[in-house]
Amino acid sequence: MTSRKRLTPEESRNSALEAARALLIETGPQSVTLKAVAARIGRTHANLLHHFGSALGLQKELARHLAETVCETIKDAVRASRAGLGTPREVVDLAFDAFDKEGAGALASWMILTGNEDALSPIVETIHQLVDDIAPEEAEDHGKVMRLHEETLALVLMAMGDALIGSALARSLGLPETAARDRAQRMLEGSLELINQQG
């Protein structure tokens, strides 16, 4: 008989969150249950109940986990872009992929449709923190033009909408599937050009 490796509470939570993320991407948000995640990582339902309290608690933590992971990647891409090492398109692709390929759009929609809108708070708060970190001058003086805040709002809404109906809508309008990403890229490039002219 082999015994399971004993994980620290943090390792156990992280393992569960990675399994939940995999389930989200593979089969959608409705499959992110305590039972399914427990089966995926070889733990008990009671073990996950101890860590997350409920399926809603697990989904809320998954939303926070996704938001933190994605925002850290986007922050690095924005810094690289500002240093001339990256491009606005890389930032756009990271944001759009987070909502599409990483499942954040499906998870957010599922939470809203099941009446768990408050579970979106970790995503909203993490994105807000990302923008404040990237543009501290805007965060300190809200009286100035909140350009980066406005563009982040537009980018996130575009990425979310594209994840949900972008392909179908683009096809019906006779546009390439990348139309929303292309538009978001032009928006960011225009903003960078304006910032460079003012600087």
Side-chain angles (χ1 to χ4, degrees), residues 24 27-33 55-56 58-60 62-63 103-120 123 160 164:
L24 172 67
T27 54
Q30 70 282 358
S31 66
V32 181
T33 64
L56 175 59
L58 171 64
Q59 291 167 357
K60 189 171 183 175
L62 177 58
L107 181 63
S109 299
W110 176 258
M111 290 175 153
I112 291 167
L113 291 172
T114 55
N116 298 323
E117 289 181 48
D118 64 323
L120 296 178
I123 294 175
M160 175 88 168
L164 299 178

Side-chain angles (χ1 to χ4, degrees), residues 64-87:
R64 181 197 57 74
H65 178 68
L66 280 175
E68 286 179 357
T69 303
V70 167
C71 283
E72 199 55 43
T73 305
I74 291 172
K75 190 188 300 183
D76 291 344
V78 168
R79 287 182 178 144
S81 180
R82 285 183 169 177
L85 303 173
T87 66

Side-chain angles (χ1 to χ4, degrees), residues 14-190:
N14 287 340
S15 173
L17 288 171
E18 283 306 316
R21 182 179 183 177
L23 283 167
L24 172 67
I25 293 166
E26 291 166 18
T27 54
Q30 70 282 358
S31 66
V32 181
T33 64
L34 292 173
K35 184 177 178 182
V37 172
R40 171 77 55 117
I41 62 173
R43 299 290 173 197
T44 65
H45 179 275
N47 180 267
L48 292 190
L49 199 57
H50 169 75
H51 287 296
F52 301 104
S54 65
L56 175 59
L58 171 64
Q59 291 167 357
K60 189 171 183 175
E61 276 301 299
L62 177 58
R64 181 197 57 74
H65 178 68
L66 280 175
E68 286 179 357
T69 303
V70 167
C71 283
E72 199 55 43
T73 305
I74 291 172
K75 190 188 300 183
D76 291 344
V78 168
R79 287 182 178 144
S81 180
R82 285 183 169 177
L85 303 173
T87 66
R89 183 54 178 238
E90 289 170 349
V91 174
V92 167
D93 284 342
L94 285 168
F96 275 64
D97 287 349
F99 282 91
D100 185 13
K101 294 179 180 148
E102 296 295 322
L107 181 63
S109 299
W110 176 258
M111 290 175 153
I112 291 167
L113 291 172
T114 55
N116 298 323
E117 289 181 48
D118 64 323
L120 296 178
S121 295
I123 294 175
V124 173
E125 290 165 8
T126 304
I127 291 171
H128 185 180
Q129 187 59 52
L130 164 71
V131 177
D132 285 353
D133 289 348
I134 292 170
E137 65 285 351
E138 284 188 11
E140 290 169 10
D141 184 4
H142 289 286
K144 293 182 181 176
V145 175
M146 303 288 282
R147 182 169 290 113
L148 190 60
H149 286 73
E150 290 171 355
E151 287 181 2
T152 301
L153 173 66
L155 180 61
V156 168
L157 292 175
M158 289 171 79
M160 175 88 168
D162 191 64
L164 299 178
I165 62 166
S167 293
L169 185 57
R171 274 194 309 274
S172 89
L173 294 171
L175 297 170
E177 284 198 12
T178 61
R181 290 180 188 235
D182 298 341
R183 180 68 187 91
Q185 178 183 344
R186 290 193 299 273
M187 177 186 76
L188 284 183
E189 287 170 344

